[in-house]
């Protein structure tokens, strides 16, 4: 099933992020504007109330309020949203301006007649300072929001009048509503535009990925040497391209090794099979004696043993490369084990006319069976290529960092260019694949199966160690290095 588009997903995420940013910014701007408008209106109401109280305090009596009504009303004159009502000492209305829309009383159509008709507001004492905290809120006619201040005024004759200054906030809320609607429209348009531009930009930014995919599509079983070549790769994708090319290189090398291994295995299996077939055809060409048939069967049995060893070694290498290969680690005396291995090969060494010397001692933690197999392969290899009368040395030594086991033998030296490759499976020093007595060391370790040294290297890799060969005119030396656990 085809997954979601990465470009669409990122564009959607970008749009959601943009929407969240717009909501936060828009809310901040809206609240900031609302706060600023409210602060300005509160200031206007407070200043108007203070001005009205100062003017009223200059009047002699309630009659002066009526006589100077226009002067008092001029404070809010010119602003249709502002209202004023002045009540005499008896609580009855003395003057008013645009007050009907600010009241919710039943007689609001004709204006409030007394203080009792006003909304429940806290009255500011005549001697108290008028502040924004004294502003009250109520709902006027037609549900209009109203804000205002009711304050007492001390006339010059000592009587107390009352002044109501109010403001209809409908225009402000309408302004805020329009501003909010514009913010919402701008936010929706901005989100859609951000998603569209984001999708386009992401598609452009992901073009190198499509180029990498197209280049990777050119890799086939017959073109494993193909590499991803994308020009101007972004720095974020450079590591991906390098890793992908490195993977292709490993795959190519592994496939080449597998091809060589398959060809070498087929060649080596064909040889004993060909020998058995040829011997059988010769034997069947004419009647043979019992001794000749027994000799034929013995020869075929040897070839079967060779095939069995080859198959066993191949299976071991296959199992060893599996991640779940089990090792039974234990601590043992490497010097004693070398002595046991030398005793086991004593008869073979005597037949070959060589001596085996063991030296050194060290405590080693490893899989004992794998250790014996690796040393057995190396010792068999050394016996095979040590001239009669020669000596093979098995030595072990230790240091704080590692334990080193060496197998040294006299004989024809190995050329430097072959020292590392002799550990490859089925590697032959001679390109013609002929069996050279002093060169084909990779076969000797396990009865000419060509896998002995490869098994040794695999065993060392399982232990996290290394194996290397040294060869000069004095002889050849194989060194196993077992690193100590940190």
């Amino acid at each position: 099933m085809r997954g979601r588009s990465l470009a669409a997903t990122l564009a959607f995420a970008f749009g959601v992020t943009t929407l969240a940013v717009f909501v936060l910014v828009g809310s901040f701007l809206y609240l900031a504007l609302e706060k600023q408008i409210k602060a300005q209106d509160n200031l206007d109401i407070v200043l108007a109330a203070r001005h009205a109280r100062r003017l009223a305090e200059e009047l002699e009596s309630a009659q002066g309020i009526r006589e100077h009504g226009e002067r008092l009303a001029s404070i809010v004159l010119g602003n249709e949203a502002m209202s004023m009502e002045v009540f005499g000492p008896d609580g009855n209305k003395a003057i008013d301006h645009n007050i009907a829309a600010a009241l919710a009383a039943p007689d609001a159509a004709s204006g409030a007649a007394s203080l009792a008709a006003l909304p429940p507001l806290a009255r500011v004492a005549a001697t108290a300072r008028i502040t924004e905290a004294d502003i009250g809120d109520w709902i006027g006619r037609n549900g209009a929001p109203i804000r205002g201040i009711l304050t007492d005024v001390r006339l010059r004759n000592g009587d107390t009048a009352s002044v109501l200054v109010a403001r209809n906030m409908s225009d402000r809320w309408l302004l805020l509503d329009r501003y909010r609607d514009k913010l919402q429209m701008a936010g929706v348009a901005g989100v859609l535009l951000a998603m569209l531009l984001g999708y386009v930009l992401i598609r452009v930014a992901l073009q190198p990925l499509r180029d990498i995919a197209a280049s990777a599509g050119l890799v086939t079983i017959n073109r494993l040497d193909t590499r991803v070549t994308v020009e101007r790769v972004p720095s974020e994708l450079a590591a991906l391209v390098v890793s992908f090319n490195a993977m292709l290189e490993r795959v190519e090398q592994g496939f080449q090794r597998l091809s060589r291994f398959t060809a070498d295995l087929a060649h080596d299996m064909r040889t004993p099979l060909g020998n058995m077939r040829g011997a059988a055809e010769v034997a069947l060409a004419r009647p043979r004696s019992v001794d000749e048939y027994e000799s034929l069967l013995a020869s075929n049995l040897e070839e079967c043993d060779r095939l069995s060893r080859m198959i066993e070694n191949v299976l071991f290498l296959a199992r060893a490369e599996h991640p779940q290969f089990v090792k039974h680690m234990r601590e043992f005396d490497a010097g004693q084990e070398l002595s046991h291995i030398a005793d086991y090969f004593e008869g073979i060494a005597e037949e070959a006319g060589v001596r085996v010397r063991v030296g050194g001692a060290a405590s080693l933690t490893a899989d004992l069976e794998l250790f014996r197999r690796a040393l057995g392969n190396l010792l068999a290899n050394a016996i095979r290529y040590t001239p009669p009368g020669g000596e093979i040395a098995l030595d072990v030594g230790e240091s704080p960092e590692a334990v080193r086991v060496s197998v040294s033998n006299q004989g024809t030296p190995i050329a430097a260019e072959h020292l590392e490759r002799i550990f490859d499976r089925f590697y032959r020093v001679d390109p013609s694949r002929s069996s050279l007595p002093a060169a084909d060391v990779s076969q000797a370790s396990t009865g000419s199966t060509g896998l002995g040294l490869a098994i040794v290297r695999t065993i060392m890799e399982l232990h996290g160690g290394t194996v290397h060969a040294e060869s000069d005119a004095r002889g050849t030396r194989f060194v196993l290095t077992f690193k100590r656990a940190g």
Side-chain angles (χ1 to χ4, degrees):
M1 182 177 66
R2 185 176 181 181
R4 293 179 299 177
S5 168
L6 180 59
T9 302
L10 292 177
F12 177 77
F14 186 65
V16 172
T17 303
T18 304
L19 177 61
V21 172
F22 279 0
V23 168
L24 293 176
V25 174
S27 299
F28 173 79
L29 293 176
Y30 179 84
L31 294 175
L33 178 61
E34 181 183 22
K35 183 178 180 180
Q36 184 177 0
I37 290 176
K38 185 177 180 180
Q40 183 61 47
D41 290 337
N42 289 346
L43 181 61
D44 292 343
I45 295 172
V46 169
L47 292 178
R50 289 175 180 176
H51 194 188
R53 189 164 70 174
R54 280 197 305 270
L55 292 178
E57 287 176 346
E58 296 176 359
L59 301 178
E60 184 67 29
S61 62
Q63 183 63 30
I65 295 176
R66 294 182 178 90
E67 292 176 357
H68 297 86
E70 292 183 0
R71 182 183 177 189
L72 291 171
S74 66
I75 297 174
V76 296
L77 194 64
N79 189 342
E80 295 296 328
M82 295 291 290
S83 304
M84 175 185 286
E85 189 167 12
V86 181
F87 299 91
D90 57 358
N92 293 323
K93 179 177 64 174
I95 62 170
D96 64 41
H97 173 76
N98 198 27
I99 196 66
L103 300 179
D107 60 346
S110 59
S114 65
L115 286 171
L118 293 178
L121 294 173
R123 296 169 64 176
V124 182
T127 58
R129 177 178 173 80
I130 300 174
T131 63
E132 294 184 5
D134 301 319
I135 298 176
D137 296 273
W138 69 92
I139 301 299
R141 296 184 62 186
N142 301 324
I146 307 297
R147 293 176 62 80
I149 293 178
L150 178 61
T151 179
D152 290 339
V153 178
R154 183 67 56 85
L155 301 178
R156 297 184 67 178
N157 63 0
D159 293 336
T160 300
S162 299
V163 177
L164 173 67
V165 178
R167 193 189 194 290
N168 189 333
M169 304 300 295
S170 298
D171 60 330
R172 298 304 196 191
W173 301 153
L174 181 60
L175 173 64
L176 290 173
D177 289 343
R178 290 176 178 173
Y179 184 70
R180 182 190 61 225
D181 294 340
K182 290 182 179 180
L183 283 177
Q184 291 176 348
M185 293 176 59
V188 172
V191 168
L192 295 177
L193 181 61
M195 291 180 65
L196 178 60
L197 292 178
Y199 180 80
V200 173
L201 293 176
I202 292 170
R203 287 278 300 177
V204 173
L206 292 179
Q207 182 60 42
L209 277 179
R210 291 191 291 273
D211 296 339
I212 292 174
S215 183
L218 300 177
V219 180
T220 63
I221 193 66
N222 297 321
R223 300 178 60 184
L224 290 177
D225 58 338
T226 303
R227 298 293 181 266
V228 175
T229 55
V230 180
E231 296 182 358
R232 302 175 63 182
V233 178
S235 58
E236 293 80 2
L237 298 180
L240 173 63
V241 173
V242 172
S243 299
F244 189 79
N245 285 335
M247 180 194 70
L248 289 178
E249 184 174 357
R250 292 192 298 270
V251 170
E252 180 185 10
Q253 293 175 355
F255 186 79
Q256 292 176 352
R257 287 197 300 270
L258 180 61
S259 298
R260 290 195 301 267
F261 175 76
T262 303
D264 292 338
L265 179 62
H267 180 277
D268 278 24
M269 293 185 69
R270 184 173 58 188
T271 300
L273 289 175
N275 293 339
M276 288 189 293
R277 180 185 179 88
E281 290 177 348
V282 170
L284 293 175
R286 60 181 178 83
R288 302 287 180 177
S289 65
V290 175
D291 292 339
E292 290 176 324
Y293 284 125
E294 289 180 351
S295 176
L296 171 65
L297 292 176
S299 175
N300 287 347
L301 184 59
E302 290 179 358
E303 297 296 342
C304 288
D305 289 340
R306 181 181 175 186
L307 285 173
S308 297
R309 288 194 302 270
M310 185 182 302
I311 294 173
E312 179 186 356
N313 290 335
V314 170
L315 291 177
F316 171 81
L317 291 172
R319 288 194 301 267
E321 290 179 351
H322 197 278
Q324 297 181 349
F325 184 82
V326 179
K327 301 188 296 294
H328 302 282
M329 307 295 287
R330 54 172 292 190
E331 185 175 0
F332 56 89
D333 189 328
Q336 291 182 0
E337 286 302 321
L338 291 182
S339 297
H340 295 161
I341 295 172
D343 293 341
Y344 181 80
F345 281 86
E346 183 178 1
I348 301 176
E350 288 181 355
E351 290 182 4
V354 298
R355 300 182 305 277
V356 179
R357 178 181 58 81
V358 178
S363 178
L364 175 63
T365 300
D367 186 306
L368 182 57
E369 295 302 322
L370 295 181
F371 177 80
R372 289 172 177 172
R373 183 164 190 168
L375 267 295
N377 286 355
L378 291 178
L379 184 53
N381 186 79
I383 293 174
R384 183 181 181 88
Y385 293 109
T386 301
E391 182 182 77
I392 300 173
L394 303 182
D395 294 298
V396 60
E398 62 180 335
S399 66
E401 296 79 19
V403 174
R404 291 178 175 81
V405 181
S406 64
V407 179
S408 306
N409 68 282
Q410 301 169 349
T412 305
I414 304 172
E417 63 269 19
H418 302 302
L419 282 178
E420 288 302 324
R421 298 197 60 190
I422 58 177
F423 295 99
D424 294 343
R425 301 173 186 180
F426 295 111
Y427 178 72
R428 265 79 173 176
V429 174
D430 183 14
S432 66
R433 304 176 64 89
S434 62
S435 180
L436 298 177
D440 194 6
V441 295
S442 68
Q443 292 190 62
S445 57
T446 53
S448 297
T449 64
L451 296 172
L453 296 183
I455 290 175
V456 173
R457 182 172 63 179
T458 300
I459 291 174
M460 293 308 299
E461 290 174 350
L462 289 173
H463 287 84
T466 59
V467 57
H468 71 277
E470 303 169 354
S471 187
D472 53 28
R474 294 174 295 177
T476 301
R477 181 169 177 255
F478 290 87
V479 181
L480 308 182
T481 303
F482 294 86
K483 296 182 180 178
R484 294 190 183 275

